[in-house]
Amino acid sequence: MVRHIVLFAYKEIARLDDIKELHRRFTALPGLIKEIEAFEWGINISPENLNEGYTDAYVLTFGNLQRRDSYLIHPDHQAFSAFAGPLLEKVLVFDYETEGTF
């Protein structure tokens, strides 16, 4: 399994309506892209103040690297990225293959 973790920090110009639309579009992707096996998201609630401006986290699961790679070039993902890009100050993406669960 491959986990694809995405963190967003928004530009000051991003309005609440823009952020809601970005979220709506991102959460719609699992219904559009069959390679996504699982999807979850949340907003930072850590009291440690170590989030470095990142506020939203999204975790996508793929069965293998090839499915992740297909997602990356999928037209619906590309359209989402084009919409989101101007609203984002920073993006952090971290992918890993699961080694096992406990």
Side-chain angles (χ1 to χ4, degrees):
M1 303 296 276
V2 175
R3 300 279 195 257
H4 177 72
I5 302 169
V6 182
L7 304 178
F8 289 154
Y10 297 100
K11 292 181 179 177
E12 288 186 27
I13 62 164
R15 300 172 306 147
L16 182 57
D17 287 345
D18 297 327
I19 294 169
K20 286 181 180 180
E21 179 62 14
L22 179 147
H23 176 73
R24 185 195 68 75
R25 290 182 186 211
F26 204 168
T27 58
L29 291 180
L32 301 170
I33 303 174
K34 67 179 176 18
E35 287 81 6
I36 301 171
E37 295 185 11
F39 182 95
E40 63 185 44
W41 70 276
I43 296 172
N44 179 54
I45 58 168
S46 175
E48 297 176 287
N49 199 30
L50 298 173
N51 60 305
E52 297 189 25
Y54 295 102
T55 58
D56 298 7
Y58 298 85
V59 180
L60 293 77
T61 301
F62 302 95
N64 55 48
L65 289 170
Q66 293 77 19
R67 291 178 67 90
R68 188 272 324 263
D69 293 348
S70 293
Y71 158 81
L72 293 175
I73 62 171
H74 192 283
D76 289 316
H77 175 253
Q78 293 295 308
F80 166 74
S81 295
F83 173 81
L87 301 173
L88 300 172
E89 183 69 33
K90 299 188 297 184
V91 178
L92 187 143
V93 176
F94 188 95
D95 293 356
Y96 67 93
E97 289 187 271
T98 59
E99 299 290 330
T101 58
F102 298 91

